[in-house]
């Protein structure tokens, strides 16, 4: 004869690891019981019983289930000394659902099952509190009526309101025992009228109905929708278990209490019992906030023995689960019960601290400590956050382009930002339609940047990330009017000087100043990141353009610079005019003159970067963007010229007038005056300005390109204007030579952007070789360097084998590569159609943020293999924005890259993500 199926498991016998059979909650109750925690006695009816029940044609419980339930109830009676349905000493139970996955879509908990007119009297006798007795009873009838019998809540609520009105009670607490008694009577009638049957008063019948209701809830609409929404498959969770647990009461007098606790402080991670409790109260009182709970530390004073036992409970929980626990407890007449425990949710600082401390206590290994902390969560510890208690509704939403929050006055151009921010020390948010390289001084002066156009790899986003400043980009709901120095959003206008707040971690924009909470780079975080470096295979470098960026990157543990964008160095206010001279030069000689001025400045830039980073490598990318980006905006020039012509007329008139009346300034003149001509009254100077602007306009028009990102940029510029690249190469090698002469160990690396054929590399390499020989001869020193290429166009991937003949390293520029692989414009996709693509699941992720492993990634893998076929030791890495994204870093590890390079403030996230990747791949 085969053994009858075992459907029901006492907490003492269920396998705590078998969540599939017992559900998460049930397994946990079994496990807690078996490790010696004082859990109120109970049992679990398995998920298999649920599935068998759902298959029964007559919807009866499968044979044997109720027999086993009867046995278990008898055992509960023995363990508790109470009787199920015994009016003198009633046993009451709670009934809960619980599947292998936590599913809020399923049934509510039924408490106090077993109450009826008789057992209620037993309860009233036991508590001496008839008001409490009737209150529990009416709650039980309503909850059971609703969840087990399907009676709509409104029917109960209606009766409740009638009684409340008769009693002139403003709040529920004003109702007397008699009122509550009347409510229970009315509720019983509601059930009878709605179901056509009297409310079941037999406790065992109540239990059977409740068990079926829990099982039915598995196929209820809420649960089915929830499983569909979160893709919960039968392999993950199939059927729900039912947990039947003895009720214990924290409201049985001053020797009773209820509370919730964390085994460590979830806000700081401090190793102290944390939580609160209420004496003579039920669990819901703690949550409801009617009475103010006391901190757990106080329990040792009020109930010393219970305080001691709670300390023991905490130690048992941690040493068993080896994880911070969030638990619920009840004390009934001096006996402490643990009702529930689960892994505690904590903020990043607490996760980091507890990881390091639990490793030191021997609870977990270093690898486990690393794996406990989500890399991305470290942002909380690196950037200011909005005070969670002070948030209001945002007025606009853009892309979360650079994390952190900042509040300050809105300012609409970089000069004003500098004036108000740097010179007057005000907190400034630079608000622009989009930013350009010439706005860089505004970035330095601002606390944060907000743009109404552009994506996560736009200029604003990339520069802000490099500097570690918050940025919201592409907030298209905002229309910026630079001339009027104001912006419109919805129906609101904010002007220069008005306070605004941006949150670059979620893209929200707020009117007014919201307080922020400062970040904290703790010693525990340093320790954890050192462990991360030991565990990782990938090196983490930084994208850094200035010595300040480089210093920040070092502080965060970068092992060098993987990308210094030299164009960023051209934007300093004092340099831009020289750069413009270089661009608008009509002859190579004129251009050389401007370059001669730039050479010492660039040499100094590079030397500083080498010094900060020594002995780590510094990879300098030769000029990349289209040069017209450095020139003034065409439309602005046209407007300036129109104003100049008006001014020329006025000036001629005014000068004549001034000559006769000695009058130099008029309000009219002031009105039309602008920047460089504010006080000019000399018609000759105005004519000169007109001539200059006209030339500039002609030049700007001649350099105009329809698709500048695919146009005359990168190495193509270096080949059209070799003197620009030669100046940069000379500056790099001379800076290297100076450092070598000063006894420093430096590793300059020269990287060429936008390469698509070996011929381009050969051309640039010939400049390098020639200049290198000259510099070594001039300095009488050996100057080490490496020569390599960006891989950011599709053809570069396809020709990797050939490029590797010249390149000693590859650096994947996945911003451009993504653009090239998708043929999506980097500047437009993210705020035009990508959100729709993501919402409608045409694309799962934004490929400019999360590396497109299937497309761009596949191409990268091919390029790595082909490159290594030519040059096995070629150093390969990534420097696009994906280099700081954990999932993309995991791909880089798997694809065999040697390094990732990301913005400095992202380095800690990347270090931890690199460790996670290595540990995951090791486990595979
Ligand atoms: C890239 O394309 O990924 C890259 C790093 O270069 P940039 O973003 O400067 O074009
Ligand atoms: Mg690029």
């Amino acid at each position: 004869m085969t053994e009858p199926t075992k459907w029901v498991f006492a907490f003492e016998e269920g396998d705590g690891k078998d969540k599939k059979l017992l559900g998460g909650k049930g397994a946990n109750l079994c496990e807690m019981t078996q490790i010696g925690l004082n859990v109120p006695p109970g049992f679990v009816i398995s998920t298999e019983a649920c599935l068998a029940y759902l298959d029964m044609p007559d919807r009866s419980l499968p044979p044997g289930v109720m027999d086993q339930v009867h046995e278990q109830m008898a055992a509960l009676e023995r363990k508790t000394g109470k009787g199920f349905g015994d009016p003198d000493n009633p046993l009451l139970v709670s009934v809960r659902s619980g599947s292998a996955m936590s599913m809020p879509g399923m049934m509510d908990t039924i408490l106090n099952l077993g109450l009826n007119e008789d057992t209620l009297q037993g309860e009233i006798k036991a508590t001496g509190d008839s008001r409490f007795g009737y209150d529990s009873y009416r709650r039980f009838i309503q909850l059971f009526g609703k969840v087990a019998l399907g009676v709509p809540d409104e029917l109960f609520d209606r009766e409740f309101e009638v009684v409340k009105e008769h009693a002139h009670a403003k709040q529920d607490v004003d109702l007397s025992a008699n009122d509550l008694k009347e409510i229970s009577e009315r509720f019983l009638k509601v059930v009878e009228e709605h179901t056509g049957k009297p409310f079941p008063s037999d406790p065992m019948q109540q239990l059977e109905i409740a068990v079926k209701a829990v099982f039915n809830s598995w196929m209820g609409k809420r649960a089915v929708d929830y499983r569909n929404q979160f893709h919960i498959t039968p392999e993950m969770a199939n059927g729900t278990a039912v947990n039947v647990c003895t009720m214990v009461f924290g409201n049985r007098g001053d020797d009773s209490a209820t509370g919730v606790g964390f085994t460590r402080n979830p806000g700081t991670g401090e190793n102290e019992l944390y939580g609160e409790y209420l004496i003579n109260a039920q669990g819901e009182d703690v949550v409801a906030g009617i009475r103010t709970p006391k901190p757990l530390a106080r329990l040792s004073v009020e109930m010393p023995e219970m305080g001691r036992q709670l300390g023991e409970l905490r130690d048992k929980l941690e040493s068993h689960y080896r994880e911070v626990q969030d638990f619920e407890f009840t004390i009934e007449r001096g006996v402490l019960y643990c009702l529930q425990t689960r892994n505690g949710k904590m903020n990043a600082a607490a996760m980091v601290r507890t990881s390091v401390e639990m490793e030191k206590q021997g609870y977990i290994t270093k690898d486990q400590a690393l794996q406990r902390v989500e890399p991305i969560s470290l942002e909380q510890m690196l950037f200011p956050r909005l005070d969670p208690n002070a948030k209001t509704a945002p007025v606009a939403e853009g892309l979360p382009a650079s994390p952190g929050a900042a509040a300050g006055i809105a300012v609409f151009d970089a000069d004003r930002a500098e004036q108000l921010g740097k010179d007057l020390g005000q907190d400034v948010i630079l608000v622009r339609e989009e930013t350009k390289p010439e706005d860089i001084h505004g970035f330095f002066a601002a606390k944060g940047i907000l743009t109404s156009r552009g994506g996560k790899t736009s200029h604003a986003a990339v520069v802000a990330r490099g500097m570690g400043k918050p940025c919201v980009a592409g907030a298209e709901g905002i229309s910026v009017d630079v001339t009027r120095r104001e912006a419109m959003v919805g129906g609101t206008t904010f002007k220069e000087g008005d306070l605004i707040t941006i949150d670059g971690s979620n893209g929200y924009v707020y009117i007014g100043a919201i307080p922020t909470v400062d970040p904290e780079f703790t010693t525990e975080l340093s320790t954890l990141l050192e462990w991360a470096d030991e565990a990782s295979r990938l090196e983490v470098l930084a994208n850094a353009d200035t010595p300040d960026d480089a210093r920040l990157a070092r502080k965060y543990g970068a092992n060098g610079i993987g990308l210094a964008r030299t164009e960023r160095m051209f934007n300093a206010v004092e340099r831009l005019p020289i750069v413009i001279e270089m661009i608008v030069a009509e002859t190579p000689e004129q251009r050389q003159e401007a370059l001669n001025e730039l050479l010492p400045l660039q040499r100094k830039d590079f030397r500083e970067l080498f010094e900060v980073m020594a002995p780590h490598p510094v990879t300098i990318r030769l000029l990349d963007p289209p040069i017209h980006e450095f020139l003034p905006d065409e439309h602005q020039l046209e407007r300036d010229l129109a104003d100049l012509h008006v001014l020329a007329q006025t000036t001629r008139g005014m000068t004549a007038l001034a000559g006769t009346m000695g009058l130099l300034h008029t309000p009219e003149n002031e009105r039309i005056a602008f920047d460089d001509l504010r006080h000019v009254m000399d018609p000759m100077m105005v004519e000169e300005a007109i001539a200059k602007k006209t030339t500039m306009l002609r030049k700007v028009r001649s350099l105009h390109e329809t698709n500048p990102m695919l146009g005359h940029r990168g190495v193509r510029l270096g080949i059209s204007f070799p003197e620009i690249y030669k100046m940069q190469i000379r500056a790099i090698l001379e800076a290297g030579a100076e450092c070598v002469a000063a006894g420093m160990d430096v590793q300059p690396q020269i990287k060429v952007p936008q390469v698509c054929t070996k011929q381009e590399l050969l051309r640039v390499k010939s400049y390098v070789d020639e200049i290198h020989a000259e510099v070594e001869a001039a300095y009488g020193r050996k100057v080490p360097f490496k020569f390599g290429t960006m891989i950011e166009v599709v053809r570069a991937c396809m020709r990797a084998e050939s490029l590797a003949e010249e390149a000693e390293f590859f650096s994947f520029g996945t911003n451009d590569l993504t653009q090239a692989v998708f043929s999506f414009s980097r500047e437009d996709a993210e705020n035009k159609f990508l959100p729709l693509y993501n919402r409608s699941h045409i694309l799962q992720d934004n490929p400019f943020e999360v590396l497109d492993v299937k497309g761009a990634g596949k191409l990268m893998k091919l390029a790595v293999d082909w490159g290594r076929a030519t040059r096995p030791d070629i150093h390969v890495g990534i420097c696009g924005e994906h280099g700081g994204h954990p999932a993309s870093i995991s791909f880089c590890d798997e694809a065999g890259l040697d390094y990732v390079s990301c913005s400095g403030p992202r380095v800690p996230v990347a270090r931890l993500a690199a460790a996670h990747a290595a540990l995951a791949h090791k486990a595979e």
Side-chain angles (χ1 to χ4, degrees):
M1 226 181 72
T2 52
E3 281 277 306
T5 311
K6 183 162 177 61
W7 305 110
V8 185
F9 298 82
F11 290 167
E12 290 83 352
E13 54 184 357
D15 175 359
K17 300 282 172 277
D18 198 347
K19 294 198 166 143
K20 245 182 139 179
L21 182 70
L22 303 176
K25 206 174 286 152
N28 202 10
L29 286 162
C30 293
E31 181 149 334
M32 289 196 297
T33 306
Q34 291 163 31
I35 63 170
L37 303 185
N38 192 23
V39 176
F43 55 89
V44 189
I45 311 175
S46 72
T47 57
E48 276 174 8
C50 172
L51 297 179
Y53 162 77
L54 292 172
D55 272 348
M56 299 289 286
D58 61 348
R59 283 296 169 95
S60 59
L61 287 167
V65 170
M66 277 316 283
D67 296 339
Q68 294 178 24
V69 167
H70 280 264
E71 279 168 28
Q72 290 297 338
M73 285 308 298
L76 285 195
E77 290 180 328
R78 280 195 303 279
K79 286 176 204 163
T80 60
K82 296 178 179 182
F84 197 40
D86 179 349
D88 294 324
N89 188 13
L91 167 66
L92 302 180
V93 294
S94 65
V95 178
R96 284 167 213 224
S97 61
S99 75
M101 305 279 294
S102 157
M103 275 180 46
M106 282 188 330
M107 206 192 76
D108 298 325
T109 301
I110 298 178
L111 299 177
N112 291 330
L113 188 136
L115 272 183
N116 57 26
E117 297 293 324
D118 300 330
T119 54
L120 170 64
Q121 296 315 318
E123 273 302 287
I124 292 176
K125 220 181 319 149
T127 55
D129 185 346
S130 60
R131 187 187 180 284
F132 169 71
Y134 282 109
D135 197 36
S136 307
Y137 192 36
R138 65 100 186 170
R139 283 175 201 270
F140 167 60
I141 302 166
Q142 176 162 3
L143 205 54
F144 188 90
K146 181 178 111 182
V147 301
L149 302 172
V151 183
D153 250 348
E154 304 82 80
L155 301 183
F156 294 112
D157 292 344
R158 202 180 300 152
E159 298 301 321
F160 190 82
E161 286 309 316
V162 170
V163 177
K164 214 167 139 182
E165 213 168 284
H166 285 174
H168 303 293
K170 281 212 186 70
Q171 291 176 332
D172 297 2
V173 283
D174 300 330
L175 293 166
S176 67
N178 264 339
D179 300 330
L180 292 162
K181 183 165 185 261
E182 189 186 337
I183 290 172
S184 352
E185 282 157 7
R186 282 170 177 258
F187 280 8
L188 290 172
K189 270 202 210 103
V190 165
V191 172
E192 186 158 356
E193 277 162 22
H194 188 82
T195 61
K197 288 185 212 150
F199 187 86
S201 61
D202 171 26
M204 200 52 89
Q205 196 196 357
Q206 290 174 355
L207 184 55
E208 184 169 349
I209 294 171
V211 170
K212 286 182 177 177
V214 173
F215 286 164
N216 286 330
S217 75
W218 178 253
M219 290 314 291
K221 185 172 168 359
R222 273 199 297 166
V224 172
D225 288 350
Y226 188 89
R227 290 199 291 278
N228 288 339
Q229 175 72 25
F230 293 96
H231 309 290
I232 298 178
T233 61
E235 287 67 44
M236 295 154 82
N238 207 3
T240 176
V242 180
N243 302 297
V244 178
C245 187
T246 309
M247 292 289 301
V248 286
F249 297 91
N251 54 353
R252 286 282 155 89
D254 285 345
D255 55 356
S256 301
T258 187
V260 290
F262 274 83
T263 53
R264 302 187 189 210
N265 185 320
T268 62
E270 199 177 339
N271 193 355
E272 59 174 10
L273 185 58
Y274 177 94
E276 37 196 26
Y277 71 102
L278 273 173
I279 290 209
N280 197 9
Q282 273 200 311
E284 37 187 69
D285 301 336
V286 179
V287 188
I290 303 165
R291 285 164 55 192
T292 310
K294 298 171 192 172
L296 280 184
R298 179 98 199 123
L299 189 68
S300 305
V301 180
E302 290 198 310
M303 297 180 171
E305 174 54 19
M306 291 296 102
R308 195 192 58 75
Q309 286 189 20
L310 198 70
E312 263 178 30
L313 170 62
R314 168 191 178 226
D315 294 344
K316 272 190 197 157
L317 283 171
E318 277 212 345
S319 59
H320 178 74
Y321 288 98
R322 290 164 189 259
E323 181 50 275
V324 175
Q325 294 295 297
D326 163 2
F327 63 100
E328 286 175 23
F329 67 92
T330 284
I331 298 167
E332 184 183 88
R333 298 201 166 131
V335 181
L336 172 68
Y337 295 92
C338 184
L339 303 184
Q340 187 176 315
T341 187
R342 59 184 169 199
N343 292 347
K345 285 204 170 42
M346 286 173 279
N347 66 21
M351 282 304 280
V352 168
R353 175 166 177 178
T354 52
S355 286
V356 172
E357 291 185 351
M358 290 201 301
E359 191 275 344
K360 301 248 182 284
Q361 284 174 276
Y363 279 173
I364 53 176
T365 63
K366 283 185 183 167
D367 289 357
Q368 287 166 331
L370 289 166
Q371 281 164 319
R372 270 181 93 233
V373 184
E374 266 308 314
I376 207 76
S377 73
L378 295 188
E379 281 191 349
Q380 285 175 28
M381 299 178 76
L382 303 169
F383 301 104
R385 280 174 297 138
L386 288 186
D387 181 347
N389 301 320
K391 278 196 204 168
T392 55
V395 289
E397 186 180 351
L399 298 164
S402 176
I409 54 169
V411 172
F412 295 87
D413 70 74
D415 292 345
R416 284 291 281 167
E418 186 169 56
Q419 219 173 26
L420 297 171
K422 201 164 129 201
D423 303 342
L424 297 180
Q426 301 215 47
D427 288 348
V428 159
I429 306 290
L430 177 62
V431 185
R432 302 285 288 163
E433 203 164 51
E434 56 188 343
T435 61
K436 291 184 97 194
E438 74 232 32
D439 292 325
I440 195 77
H441 55 298
F443 279 67
F444 289 131
K447 293 273 174 231
I449 291 89
L450 167 63
T451 67
S452 60
R453 291 192 45 205
K456 283 198 192 136
T457 59
S458 64
H459 175 264
V462 175
V463 176
R465 271 202 293 278
M467 292 182 178
K469 296 199 175 188
C471 173
V472 173
E476 296 208 324
I478 301 181
S479 74
V480 177
D481 187 337
V482 177
T483 337
R484 299 169 73 100
R485 295 180 190 280
E486 64 180 36
M488 284 274 294
V489 50
T492 322
T493 303
F494 62 89
K495 296 185 182 315
E496 181 176 295
D498 288 350
L499 285 165
I500 61 169
T501 302
I502 60 169
D503 188 342
S505 306
N506 57 20
Y508 289 157
V509 181
Y510 304 84
I511 300 281
I514 299 176
T516 51
V517 187
D518 283 338
E520 215 191 332
F521 198 91
T522 57
T523 46
E524 287 89 3
L525 179 55
S526 299
T527 306
L528 193 78
L529 290 174
E530 277 162 29
W531 297 350
D533 294 343
E534 284 161 23
S536 309
R537 193 189 62 72
L538 285 168
E539 279 175 81
V540 179
L541 312 184
N543 295 352
D545 313 320
T546 64
D548 278 348
D549 287 358
R551 268 184 281 275
L552 189 71
R554 272 307 291 144
K555 179 178 147 204
Y556 285 157
N559 263 321
I561 295 182
L563 169 64
R565 294 171 159 106
T566 48
E567 53 272 18
R568 302 276 158 73
M569 302 166 177
F570 282 0
N571 290 309
V573 185
E574 66 285 2
R575 295 187 190 183
L576 203 55
I578 317 175
V579 175
I580 293 174
E581 286 291 315
M582 170 186 90
I583 296 167
V584 299
E586 303 280 347
T587 63
E589 294 73 34
Q590 278 176 355
R591 174 160 300 118
Q592 194 55 52
E593 237 172 75
L595 287 168
N596 289 345
E597 278 192 69
L598 285 172
L599 175 70
L601 301 172
Q602 287 257 277
R603 190 169 49 224
K604 183 167 161 286
D605 293 337
F606 300 142
R607 184 174 166 158
E608 279 183 51
L609 289 182
F610 294 154
E611 283 170 356
V612 174
M613 276 294 155
H616 301 290
V618 175
T619 316
I620 295 164
R621 184 177 72 184
L622 302 176
L623 193 65
D624 183 17
I627 44 181
H628 83 255
E629 273 196 14
F630 296 102
L631 298 180
D633 177 73
E634 182 179 345
H635 301 298
Q636 187 61 44
L637 277 173
E638 285 166 353
R639 281 196 294 273
D640 288 356
L641 267 171
D643 284 351
L644 271 172
H645 283 296
V646 173
L647 189 64
Q649 265 183 0
T650 318
T651 313
R652 278 193 288 273
M654 296 297 284
T655 312
L657 205 61
T660 52
M661 297 172 66
L663 185 68
L664 283 175
H665 292 272
T666 70
E668 169 68 357
N669 214 2
E670 284 295 335
R671 192 184 64 75
I672 59 170
F674 68 97
D675 295 342
D676 46 346
L677 288 166
R678 191 161 293 147
H679 302 294
V680 172
M681 301 301 298
D682 179 349
M684 287 293 289
M685 285 178 74
V686 178
E687 293 304 333
E688 240 172 65
I690 289 177
K692 252 168 78 185
K693 295 261 176 197
T694 310
T695 313
M696 185 61 79
L697 183 60
R698 186 171 44 75
K699 198 76 197 172
V700 167
R701 283 184 179 148
S702 78
L703 287 171
H704 172 82
E705 291 177 289
T706 308
N707 284 316
M709 291 299 268
L710 306 177
H712 202 178
R713 63 176 289 207
V715 67
R716 304 185 280 273
L717 262 178
I719 288 175
S720 308
F721 304 108
E723 44 301 351
I724 299 181
Y725 270 24
K726 285 184 180 171
M727 178 278 288
Q728 292 196 300
I729 293 164
R730 183 173 295 281
I732 296 167
L733 295 173
E734 289 183 353
E738 286 180 4
C739 290
V740 172
M744 268 180 266
D745 181 8
V746 290
Q747 296 188 52
Q749 307 206 349
I750 299 172
K751 152 157 103 170
V752 191
Q754 298 291 326
V755 168
C756 65
T757 165
K758 186 177 81 172
Q759 297 309 317
E760 290 168 327
L761 277 184
L762 275 171
R763 184 70 64 91
V764 180
K765 185 71 194 321
S766 73
Y767 312 157
V768 173
D769 288 341
E770 185 189 316
I771 297 169
H772 186 237
E774 282 172 26
V775 171
E776 286 199 337
Y779 284 78
R781 310 256 167 196
K782 285 269 159 235
V783 183
F785 79 96
K786 281 209 165 78
F787 180 76
T789 181
M790 294 284 290
I791 303 279
E792 52 188 339
V793 310
V794 175
R795 198 174 188 283
C797 296
M798 304 315 288
R799 299 296 295 147
E801 210 170 326
S802 161
L803 297 184
E805 287 171 18
E806 294 308 314
E808 293 167 278
F809 62 88
F810 280 175
S811 182
F812 284 103
T814 44
N815 303 333
D816 276 310
L817 190 59
T818 302
Q819 164 168 272
V821 167
F822 282 87
S823 291
F824 287 174
S825 151
R826 255 167 90 162
E827 297 295 318
D828 298 315
E830 285 178 293
N831 23 40
K832 294 291 187 294
F833 53 86
L834 266 181
L836 172 67
Y837 264 45
N838 292 152
R839 268 200 314 278
S840 44
H841 302 293
I842 292 174
L843 284 176
Q844 292 306 324
D845 296 302
N846 170 356
F848 291 102
E849 186 179 358
V850 182
L851 188 71
D852 160 45
V853 167
K854 293 181 185 156
K858 196 165 172 184
L859 205 51
M860 286 168 70
K861 276 187 169 167
L862 290 172
V864 173
D865 289 348
W866 290 333
R868 291 214 170 114
T870 303
R871 191 188 285 266
D873 63 346
I874 192 165
H875 203 59
V876 182
I878 180 175
C879 66
E881 295 307 301
H882 307 92
H885 182 266
S888 313
I889 292 172
S890 171
F891 166 78
C892 293
D893 189 67
E894 184 201 314
L897 268 56
D898 300 303
Y899 70 90
V900 297
S901 186
C902 58
S903 63
R906 195 75 183 203
V907 164
V909 174
R911 287 167 72 191
L912 185 54
H916 275 216
L919 293 173
H921 295 141
K922 195 167 80 179
E924 277 163 22

